[in-house]
Structures are given as structure tokens and as C-alpha cells.
Amino acid sequence: KKISEEFLLNGFVIKKSCNIDSLDKIRNEIIKISSEENLVEREEISNYLNSVHNKVSIDKINNFRLNIFNNLNDKTWLRESYFNSANDYLNDLVGNELCMQRRISLSIQLPNDKSSLLALHSDVWSGDSPYEVVLWIPLVDCYEAKSMYILPPEYSKIFYKEFPKYNEMSTDEIFEAVKHNLLWIDIKYGEILIFDQSLPHGNIVNNTNETRWSMNCRFKSVFSPYGDKKLGEFFDPISLKAATKMGMKYESPKIIF
């Protein structure tokens, strides 16, 4: 009840991971894919990730990211580990019969990189269901411009009500109009963020001297309404109960006249 009230009030929750070993496993795998160095200690991993801009230039970062993304999503254990990092919270907020995005997204934002921006948007505007949540996990400590922002529910209601007046504005102009109401996420590695992706959110140029690494994945109840992204196409079920599996296999007897 407490976490549900917090989520409905704020539009998000930040909690300590349910399973830090699962997060460490994912982060260690990223190091294996992206570096030949034998980095074991957590402090060394953080230093490597935070300073990767010293090794990879802005014009090479997307290929670098895609290589990690593809190799990581080929691991059969990835989705289970990602889910385990926040499973208790997802069960409380979304349900105990869940479906999960088939491939987990990876974002790398170098300092002063203007090519990795997500302007203010809501995922629902592009076909996602309002019944979905996003599990957003930082792989390094994220703060200020190194993080993301969310327009909280009370201001999102006003924004939606006044939406027609923004029709002729660019995304930059809309951002300027609402930026004083935005909430910047301050989150450390080992914590997880679950947020309502119908709330407008995005990021800006990372003007810190560290690289941001984060992952995100959508979850929803198997039986809640879908948007354009369907079960079996974008989502796969991960926690079906016995009665549901039984019902899915049921075939009515044929009557012969």
C-alpha cells in the first residue's frame, strides 16, 4: 500500500535494488563486452564507465553502444536478471502476471554529446500503453544533467489540459515553458527507478564531466490493455500463473451433428 501511494502521488519510485548481484552481473558483462581490461572491483568499474568518453569519441559512441546492446541482449539470463533487480516492486505496482519488453534498451550519454538526446515526450504519444511502467536502472550514479527529468503528475495534468496551446511550439520551446516544473532524478548505482511513462520526461545535454550509462525496459500486466506494442511482438510473458497457462491451452470440445 505504501509504495502504491508513493507511486500514484509522485509518478515514480526510487528504491534500493531487490538483488544487487543481478545488477552487478549485468554491469560486469558490459565491461567484458566493451573492454579488454580486467576490472573487478566496483570502484574500478565505476571509474571506467564514468570516463569512457576518454576512450570513445562522440562519432563512435552509437556503434559502441549498439555492439554492447546486441551482445548483452543475446545473453539468455539478461531479462531474468533485470527483472530480479526490481521484482518485488514490480509485483506490488503492476501485478503478479507480467509481460516484459523483449529487448532491454541501453543508453550511453557522453559529456556535451548532443546526438543522444530525448526531447520532452511521453511514450504513450508514440503508441505505448498507459498501463505500462518503465524500469530505469543507472549503471553509474546519475544526477542533474547526467540524469533524466520527469514532469510530476500535478503539473502533467495541467500540461495535458493546456496541450492545444503547445501545438505550434517546437520541443525546445515546450521544454522552456515547463522546465521550472520539471523534477530531476537523483539516483545512485544500486538503486532502481520505476516511473509512469505517460508523464512527459526526457534529458538534456550532459554538461557534467562524466558519462551516463543507463538501461530501461517496460513492464505491464499481461491482461491490461495494450497500445501499438503487442504481446508476442514487443512483449513476452514472464510470470504466468498455473490457471492462466491452463486456460490458454484449453480447447472447447467439438460437437458433431
Side-chain angles (χ1 to χ4, degrees):
K1 182 178 179 181
K2 185 177 179 181
I3 191 175
S4 295
E5 290 174 347
E6 181 182 352
F7 183 81
L8 291 172
L9 177 65
N10 299 322
F12 71 92
V13 293
I14 294 175
K15 299 293 181 184
K16 184 178 290 187
S17 172
C18 299
N19 191 326
I20 191 64
D21 290 340
S22 291
L23 285 188
D24 286 343
K25 184 177 182 179
I26 293 171
R27 201 165 71 153
N28 288 336
E29 189 63 31
I30 287 174
I31 295 297
K32 289 179 184 178
I33 297 169
S34 66
S35 173
E36 298 298 325
E37 301 174 50
N38 184 21
L39 301 171
V40 179
E41 297 298 325
R42 181 174 297 182
E43 292 78 9
E44 292 177 326
I45 293 176
S46 293
N47 289 338
Y48 169 80
L49 295 175
N50 275 315
S51 62
V52 78
H53 54 276
N54 294 325
K55 302 175 183 294
V56 184
S57 60
I58 289 176
D59 62 316
K60 301 282 182 59
I61 190 60
N62 194 47
N63 287 337
F64 178 76
R65 182 189 66 83
L66 286 173
N67 178 59
I68 300 171
F69 167 81
N70 288 324
N71 277 277
L72 198 58
N73 275 280
D74 283 343
K75 308 302 178 187
T76 56
W77 50 263
L78 175 66
R79 294 171 77 249
E80 182 178 5
S81 294
Y82 198 86
F83 171 63
N84 286 343
S85 69
N87 55 352
D88 290 345
Y89 309 126
L90 290 167
N91 287 335
D92 288 340
L93 293 172
V94 187
N96 60 10
E97 290 193 279
L98 297 172
C99 57
M100 177 181 180
Q101 185 175 321
R102 300 181 78 172
R103 290 171 72 78
I104 300 171
S105 299
L106 171 68
S107 173
I108 306 173
Q109 191 179 16
L110 304 183
N112 302 311
D113 178 10
K114 297 180 180 180
S115 67
S116 303
L117 299 183
L118 277 176
L120 184 141
H121 69 287
S122 162
D123 297 357
V124 175
W125 302 345
S126 56
D128 285 278
S129 166
Y131 293 83
E132 299 167 19
V133 302
V134 175
L135 172 58
W136 192 94
I137 299 180
L139 299 173
V140 290
D141 295 351
C142 294
Y143 56 91
E144 298 173 355
K146 190 188 172 191
S147 188
M148 60 170 283
Y149 61 76
I150 293 176
L151 188 64
E154 66 268 30
Y155 297 114
S156 287
K157 287 179 182 178
I158 298 171
F159 178 78
Y160 276 108
K161 187 175 181 180
E162 299 177 344
F163 202 76
K165 80 177 187 180
Y166 298 105
N167 284 348
E168 303 302 320
M169 291 187 182
S170 67
T171 52
D172 287 341
E173 290 172 331
I174 295 174
F175 174 81
E176 289 297 322
V178 302
K179 70 178 183 180
H180 57 288
N181 292 325
L182 297 175
L183 178 67
W184 294 87
I185 299 298
D186 191 337
I187 185 170
K188 299 183 183 301
Y189 177 71
E191 296 178 322
I192 59 92
L193 166 69
I194 301 174
F195 71 92
D196 172 4
Q197 43 85 52
S198 70
L199 299 177
H201 58 280
N203 64 15
I204 61 173
V205 174
N206 175 9
N207 60 18
T208 73
N209 60 0
E210 297 176 336
T211 296
R212 187 193 95 182
W213 293 70
S214 63
M215 302 180 72
N216 69 82
C217 184
R218 291 166 180 81
F219 292 82
K220 67 184 296 297
S221 168
V222 169
F223 298 109
S224 62
Y226 291 81
D228 292 340
K229 298 172 181 178
K230 305 298 185 183
L231 189 67
E233 299 172 357
F234 186 82
F235 290 102
D236 276 339
I238 58 171
S239 54
L240 296 181
K241 301 299 182 183
T244 299
K245 293 179 180 179
M246 178 177 65
M248 290 171 67
K249 293 179 179 178
Y250 175 77
E251 294 183 12
S252 298
K254 296 180 180 179
I255 300 175
I256 299 176
F257 294 96

